[in-house]
Amino acid sequence: MQCARDKSGLKCDLLVVGSGAGGLSTAITAKLRGLDIIVIEKEAVFGGTTAFSGGVLWVPLSRHSRNSREADSKESLDEVRRYLRHEVGNFYRPEFVEAFLKHGPEMVEFFEDRAGVKFLPTEYPDYHPDAPGGALRGRSIVAAPFNAASLGSNLGRLRGPLETITFMGMMFNSSSADLKHFFNVTRSVASLIYVIKRMSGHLVEMLVHGRGVQVTGGNALAASLAKSAIEHGIEILAGTEAKELTIRDGAVSGVRVLRGADCFDISSRYGVVLATGGFSHDRDRIKEAYPHVGRGGDHFSPVPKGNTGDGARLAESVGGRVTTDFPQPAAWMPVSKVPMAPGRDVAFPHLLDRYKPGVIGVLKNGKRFTNESNSYHDVGVALIDACKGSAETCMWLICDSNALRKYGLGYVKPAPMPHSKMLKNGYLTKGDSVCSLAEELGIDAGALESTVREYNEHARRGVDIQFRRGTTAFNRFLGDPNHQPNPCVAPIERGPYYAVKVVLGDLGTFDGIETSVFGEVVRGKEIVPGLYAVGNDRASLMGGTYPGAGITLGPIMTFGYITANRIADRAEGSSS
């Protein structure tokens, strides 16, 4: 759709299209460099995919990794380079990597010291810690918990967290003390008291604000970035869709937007930054890019529905190119479909249950196909490959009553929370025996019985002969440390037995707009004057691989910072 020109319009130094971490980090940096900024957001709320995320950033050698095995030295930089070369392979681009390694720690200090955005260290290992240059901890940081009530009248404009990963609207970090207390509520008086206090405080928040305001992870990052932007005078126009780029003297000079029934131009003196979140919900583009969708399979992405490839479309309209060369076009996430209401399913990302002892994943043929305790992306890659000869790309997570009681399964919570509703609506499937469970699921019963029997034979000793679960630091990190000798492996032998069907989703696209290292959109061998791309709109630094926790948000904020400084430098040069 094109809209007719309206005589009214707005002007700024820099226009940013999108309000996730990519857009807001660019906007804040440019504002603090002295530029007048407008941010437009297609949806009614700000925060983008960031607000749904875990809020983790992979930033090697930041101030928060000083106490890790890394030190701020040439040797540790060489280790990071070595790891990225191993992981990224033929898509390793030295100029981009060096910019990231140089400016990543600088970006963290800038946002903490000047923009009021706080981070905390994590103990996350790299996803492949045994690979050359891999780290056992210290490269990932996470947004600090944040009181979103400080947004005041803008609280209602903040995108809420993904509803399936909250408990009655309450948030906690996956590795935090909160979650450990909730898992131990039936086994520890101290945990019970903690949970009662936590729930009481949350209910007060709901009564006062209509939502939980003690936010964590990506919701905390989105909220703190938004607060910083608003406090620094950056206007965020929600419900404002970019329809087409405007050109003046051969350079991008603004955007024609649609806001409600009004259509008008926003002109921008120093150009436009595309930060629309990638193309996870562009059905035509993902059919071409995602192998399992191309062969007719289902895809159920938990990212915001507004991520429909607007940035890619706008860039292509002026000669930009969206790369499709990466071995994996997106960051894969195994998800299940949670029936929230008739006709309304919501994605549940399987971030924790796959790592727990007594949970395995099987295909329709009743067989396991991978190490379930590998990263979500690695499991997604393995699932796509394992289902190559089938139209449907899916698996079932299987457990027994012991594991369900201790850890839950998908959206099903551990004891003492009931699961009868999830059985009734079909999300959870139950069988008195492994064979009857298989029959309920429509998968090969004999093969599933054989799979479980062979798995149990070694699992009783804490060993996974077939896929070596629990043999890496990352596998063990999200297992159950109280279960020994292997926090990821236990037999499946106490009926009844349970299963949840899992399909493939994504956390955002890796394929994206080709840019220079500074974010300038590239057209052939030249740049498109006045047009930049950041965030998931931009082709990933990681070249279609997923080396560690936060490899999207770490580069996203770093290159937002780099791009904004490039634009501000040019603005200073043009005015001198």
Side-chain angles (χ1 to χ4, degrees):
M1 168 188 171
Q2 291 188 346
C3 53
R5 184 189 298 270
D6 188 292
K7 291 182 180 179
S8 62
L10 299 172
K11 294 181 180 181
C12 60
D13 289 332
L14 183 67
L15 176 62
V16 178
V17 186
S19 66
L24 291 181
S25 62
T26 306
I28 293 166
T29 305
K31 180 66 177 183
L32 291 175
R33 287 290 307 274
L35 300 185
D36 179 37
I37 312 296
I38 292 177
V39 175
I40 63 171
E41 167 58 52
K42 175 181 178 179
E43 300 198 62
V45 289
F46 51 70
T49 306
T50 302
F52 279 173
S53 75
V56 179
L57 289 75
W58 196 78
V59 185
L61 301 173
S62 78
R63 59 169 44 157
H64 295 292
S65 65
R66 295 293 191 259
N67 296 323
S68 75
R69 77 173 188 68
E70 292 184 334
D72 191 6
S73 67
K74 182 178 185 299
E75 181 183 5
S76 55
L77 270 175
D78 287 343
E79 285 293 286
V80 180
R81 293 187 187 104
R82 186 178 177 216
Y83 184 59
L84 287 177
R85 283 193 189 97
H86 177 272
E87 295 292 296
V88 179
N90 292 335
F91 292 95
Y92 184 90
R93 295 177 291 176
E95 183 184 6
F96 287 73
V97 170
E98 293 307 311
F100 172 61
L101 295 181
K102 175 183 178 182
H103 295 290
E106 190 180 289
M107 175 275 294
V108 172
E109 295 185 12
F110 176 87
F111 276 93
E112 290 199 315
D113 296 344
R114 297 195 57 194
V117 178
K118 301 301 180 185
F119 301 100
L120 300 173
T122 79
E123 294 295 313
Y124 273 107
D126 286 339
Y127 284 170
H128 308 127
D130 298 334
L136 296 177
R137 63 188 176 111
R139 290 176 178 167
S140 297
I141 60 176
V142 66
F146 185 79
N147 185 350
S150 63
L151 285 167
S153 61
N154 287 294
L155 175 62
R157 302 175 67 208
L158 171 67
R159 182 186 296 281
L162 189 65
E163 60 185 298
T164 53
I165 63 170
T166 69
F167 181 65
M168 298 175 63
M170 183 170 61
M171 299 186 66
F172 27 70
N173 288 324
S174 61
S175 58
S176 72
D178 281 346
L179 200 57
K180 293 173 184 176
H181 281 302
F182 274 81
F183 274 128
N184 289 323
V185 68
T186 62
R187 292 173 282 182
S188 163
V189 173
S191 290
L192 177 62
I193 294 171
Y194 180 95
V195 169
I196 291 172
K197 288 182 178 178
R198 184 79 164 83
M199 289 297 300
S200 299
H202 176 68
L203 290 174
V204 171
E205 292 176 14
M206 295 293 290
L207 288 171
V208 175
H209 301 286
R211 58 161 288 173
V213 296
Q214 300 303 321
V215 296
T216 61
N219 216 241
L221 180 58
S224 58
L225 285 169
K227 183 184 179 187
S228 179
I230 292 165
E231 286 184 342
H232 286 99
I234 297 173
E235 188 171 9
I236 304 176
L237 299 178
T240 305
E241 182 178 0
K243 302 305 293 185
E244 56 186 296
L245 299 171
T246 56
I247 310 294
R248 179 178 299 166
D249 299 327
V252 173
S253 60
V255 172
R256 190 157 301 150
V257 304
L258 182 65
R259 191 177 196 198
D262 297 326
C263 186
F264 55 93
D265 289 350
I266 301 178
S267 61
S268 177
R269 187 177 179 186
Y270 299 114
V272 172
V273 178
L274 302 174
T276 69
F279 58 83
S280 296
H281 290 291
D282 182 340
R283 190 68 190 177
D284 291 337
R285 205 179 287 267
I286 69 169
K287 186 175 182 180
E288 181 179 343
Y290 293 5
H292 57 294
V293 178
R295 63 191 183 221
D298 194 11
H299 187 81
F300 198 63
S301 179
V303 308
K305 299 297 183 185
N307 294 9
T308 55
D310 294 351
R313 173 181 56 80
L314 290 168
E316 288 173 334
S317 74
V318 292
R321 179 179 179 269
V322 176
T323 184
T324 56
D325 299 333
F326 294 155
Q328 302 299 326
W332 304 127
M333 171 59 73
V335 301
S336 49
K337 298 181 179 180
V338 183
M340 289 297 192
R344 188 174 80 91
D345 293 342
V346 177
F348 177 88
H350 287 264
L351 293 162
L352 295 174
D353 51 1
R354 296 177 293 102
Y355 301 88
K356 298 298 187 283
V359 178
I360 62 172
V362 300
L363 303 171
K364 194 174 182 65
N365 62 13
K367 299 179 181 180
R368 293 173 69 207
F369 64 98
T370 194
N371 178 340
E372 300 89 347
S373 295
N374 283 341
S375 77
Y376 35 81
H377 180 70
D378 288 350
V379 170
V381 172
L383 184 60
I384 290 172
D385 186 60
C387 297
K388 192 174 292 183
S390 173
E392 188 175 28
T393 300
C394 67
M395 67 171 175
W396 286 264
L397 289 177
I398 308 286
C399 74
D400 67 4
S401 57
N402 267 338
L404 189 77
R405 177 179 56 82
K406 283 185 179 180
Y407 313 115
L409 189 67
Y411 189 65
V412 178
K413 304 297 185 289
M417 298 301 294
H419 55 260
S420 56
K421 180 180 178 181
M422 294 293 104
L423 287 169
K424 186 176 180 180
N425 67 20
Y427 176 78
L428 183 69
T429 302
K430 175 182 176 182
D432 292 331
S433 66
V434 171
C435 182
S436 64
L437 178 66
E439 291 170 353
E440 288 288 331
L441 297 173
I443 66 179
D444 189 315
L448 182 61
E449 282 189 308
S450 178
T451 294
V452 172
R453 182 173 60 251
E454 292 171 7
Y455 169 79
N456 284 346
E457 180 182 349
H458 303 284
R460 294 185 186 97
R461 297 183 287 111
V463 176
D464 174 18
I465 291 293
Q466 190 174 10
F467 294 109
R468 304 182 70 244
R469 272 180 72 171
T471 59
T472 73
F474 175 69
N475 278 186
R476 296 188 294 272
F477 182 69
L478 292 174
D480 179 358
N482 296 318
H483 181 85
Q484 296 299 325
N486 189 329
C488 302
V489 175
I492 302 169
E493 55 188 358
R494 180 178 177 181
Y497 302 88
Y498 298 90
V500 167
K501 185 176 182 178
V502 175
V503 298
L504 205 56
D506 69 78
L507 297 179
T509 45
F510 285 150
D511 283 348
I513 302 165
E514 291 186 358
T515 71
S516 72
V517 69
F518 300 106
E520 300 145 323
V521 173
V522 174
R523 178 171 55 206
K525 294 183 179 181
E526 301 177 345
I527 66 168
V528 179
L531 188 61
Y532 305 83
V534 299
N536 284 339
D537 275 353
R538 172 179 172 155
S540 171
L541 168 73
M542 300 298 170
T545 66
Y546 213 120
I551 60 91
T552 52
L553 283 174
I556 278 173
M557 287 193 64
T558 299
F559 282 103
Y561 171 78
I562 290 171
T563 296
N565 278 302
R566 176 71 159 187
I567 297 167
D569 287 345
R570 283 182 169 168
E572 288 180 358
S574 67
S575 60
S576 61

